[in-house]
Amino acid sequence: MPNHLISSLHSPHVERVKALLSSRGKKVRREREEFVVDNLPAIFSAIKNRNPNFPSIKTLYYSESGLEKLTRAVGEIPAGIESYLVTSEVLAQMADVESPQGVLAVAAQSKFDLAQIFKSSKKIAYFWQLQDPGNAGTVIRSADGCGFDAVLFSDESVDIYGPKVVRATVGSLWNIPVLEEISLSTLITFATEYGYAIVALDAKSEIDIANVDKANKTILVFGNEARGIPDLPNSVSLAAIPMRGKTESFNVASAATIAMYEVGLR
């Protein structure tokens, strides 16, 4: 049952959520180690997946219609999650979208150990300075669908806990470990220590991504939307996705999905 009804637009709860979504939201999210989830599939995934390493929901806010959706999808709200019934006006004030889906959550950020990720994984996707939130959410979802074990983002990448990224993952943020602020030098050090082959996507390469040895422990590296891949050591292999039409390349989310499908599922 909810703690009580929130009907005031000036409630501290409204201010809490708006601070996480404001122009200073990235700083606030990092200081508080929490973020906002306003996508129903993501909220359902978060409630169903109670792995302590993944993001965990701290507080749920829902309208009467939102509570009906929650009940149909997940049954009773688990113990330990604060829950509040809110008016539609309050939910609209909190939400980052024009048409709220009736449920909004504040979640704690994930706590994964990088060494453990490398020790227990076989296929990892690494994104260097990925800037677009829609692309970031899409590649997390694609990595999940293609059977990858983890997704890493470099420093100077988009905030993976921004609302557009979280929304675009459609719940995959609770299915696959995602870590940010992993430098290229750190990636190479861990890859060497744990025996991974590193393959970077480069449209100029003559090696077809389909011919990459899928039996290897592999890290796929994808570059920035505008600048491509960074300077890499000679130990890194390059591979391309053959193009049949007249365009020179796929966008990074499309290329990553194709490459992860080739390396992860086949």
Side-chain angles (χ1 to χ4, degrees):
M1 295 293 293
N3 292 340
H4 58 76
L5 173 68
I6 298 175
S7 58
S8 171
L9 299 181
H10 303 290
S11 165
H13 291 276
V14 176
E15 298 304 316
R16 174 195 186 189
V17 172
K18 288 176 69 68
L20 293 168
L21 297 172
S22 70
S23 58
R24 296 179 60 253
K26 181 176 181 178
K27 182 175 184 293
V28 176
R29 288 190 291 270
R30 291 196 173 181
E31 288 175 349
R32 299 182 182 177
E33 296 185 336
E34 59 185 27
F35 64 104
V36 173
V37 191
D38 60 10
N39 176 271
L40 283 178
I43 291 173
F44 298 158
S45 292
I47 292 174
K48 291 174 182 177
N49 184 350
R50 304 289 284 171
N51 186 316
N53 292 325
F54 282 87
S56 58
I57 288 184
K58 300 169 71 174
T59 311
L60 275 172
Y61 303 98
Y62 43 75
S63 63
E64 290 184 358
S65 63
L67 179 57
E68 292 178 6
K69 295 174 185 177
L70 275 173
T71 302
R72 286 197 303 269
V74 300
E76 292 188 6
I77 297 170
I81 297 178
E82 288 186 326
S83 62
Y84 296 89
L85 182 66
V86 302
T87 63
S88 298
E89 292 76 15
V90 167
L91 196 64
Q93 187 78 359
M94 287 178 165
D96 185 55
V97 293
E98 291 186 8
S99 301
Q101 296 181 309
V103 185
L104 183 145
V106 174
Q109 296 181 10
S110 59
K111 299 184 182 298
F112 290 103
D113 178 73
L114 187 60
Q116 184 59 39
I117 292 294
F118 273 85
K119 183 178 180 180
S120 62
S121 299
K122 185 175 180 181
K123 306 294 182 184
I124 295 173
Y126 178 80
F127 295 88
W128 181 74
Q129 296 187 1
L130 193 66
Q131 299 290 323
D132 183 83
N135 283 341
T138 298
V139 299
I140 292 170
R141 184 180 181 185
S142 293
D144 178 19
C146 291
F148 266 58
D149 300 301
V151 179
L152 312 180
F153 290 91
S154 77
D155 44 325
E156 298 186 49
S157 291
V158 67
D159 176 13
I160 65 171
Y161 297 110
K164 292 181 180 179
V165 178
V166 175
R167 203 174 299 131
T169 70
V170 197
S172 286
L173 196 60
W174 282 267
N175 297 336
I176 182 171
V178 182
L179 290 82
E180 57 184 351
E181 299 291 331
I182 308 299
S183 69
L184 188 59
S185 60
T186 297
L187 178 83
I188 293 170
T189 297
F190 274 79
T192 301
E193 180 178 353
Y194 289 94
Y196 284 80
I198 303 178
V199 180
L201 265 287
D202 185 346
K204 298 177 182 178
S205 174
E206 296 181 357
I207 305 299
D208 188 328
I209 187 65
N211 294 328
V212 169
D213 189 344
K214 298 163 182 62
N216 289 339
K217 294 170 67 176
T218 305
I219 298 171
L220 291 184
V221 174
F222 303 92
N224 173 273
E225 290 96 335
R227 298 190 299 277
I229 58 175
D231 291 333
L232 296 165
N234 293 332
S235 59
V236 175
S237 302
L238 302 179
I241 299 169
M243 307 296 296
R244 293 182 178 178
K246 295 180 180 180
T247 186
E248 293 183 356
S249 63
F250 293 103
N251 97 326
V252 65
S254 299
T257 300
I258 294 168
M260 288 189 289
Y261 177 83
E262 288 289 350
V263 174
L265 288 182
R266 294 187 174 184

